[in-house]
Amino acid sequence: MSYPPADDRLRHLLAQRINCHVNSWKLAFFIAGGIVDDPEIRAELDRIAAAHTAGQHCGDRNCKACFAASVTGADS
């Protein structure tokens, strides 16, 4: 079996990142689960993905992909 598991990849990836800043893997996994299960966060991820798929800026001022596109002129 590969890690992270394909059926729960987002939760595991978030937990890995969070685990660097908390005392236990269990807490990191709990926090990641709350993030993954939040409907507003899911909707925002879907909105960003849809904008990028359409070749548009997502509107997030911290988006590395949109920043890189604006610097390289890929969106022109």
Side-chain angles (χ1 to χ4, degrees), residues 40-68:
E40 289 183 40
I41 292 173
R42 292 295 248 187
E44 183 62 6
L45 288 171
D46 291 343
R47 184 195 66 75
I48 290 168
H52 288 169
T53 300
Q56 301 171 349
H57 289 287
C58 67
D60 183 339
R61 64 183 164 147
N62 297 306
C63 178
K64 291 179 182 180
C66 291
F67 176 77

Side-chain angles (χ1 to χ4, degrees), residues 7-69:
D7 62 343
D8 202 17
R9 184 171 170 76
L10 181 59
R11 184 180 325 263
H12 281 263
L13 291 172
L14 287 168
Q16 280 181 303
R17 184 63 63 134
I18 293 166
N19 194 39
C20 299
H21 305 284
V22 298
N23 292 329
S24 73
W25 171 252
K26 186 175 181 177
L27 177 58
F29 205 73
F30 174 77
I31 294 168
I35 293 169
V36 169
D37 294 339
D38 186 297
E40 289 183 40
I41 292 173
R42 292 295 248 187
E44 183 62 6
L45 288 171
D46 291 343
R47 184 195 66 75
I48 290 168
H52 288 169
T53 300
Q56 301 171 349
H57 289 287
C58 67
D60 183 339
R61 64 183 164 147
N62 297 306
C63 178
K64 291 179 182 180
C66 291
F67 176 77

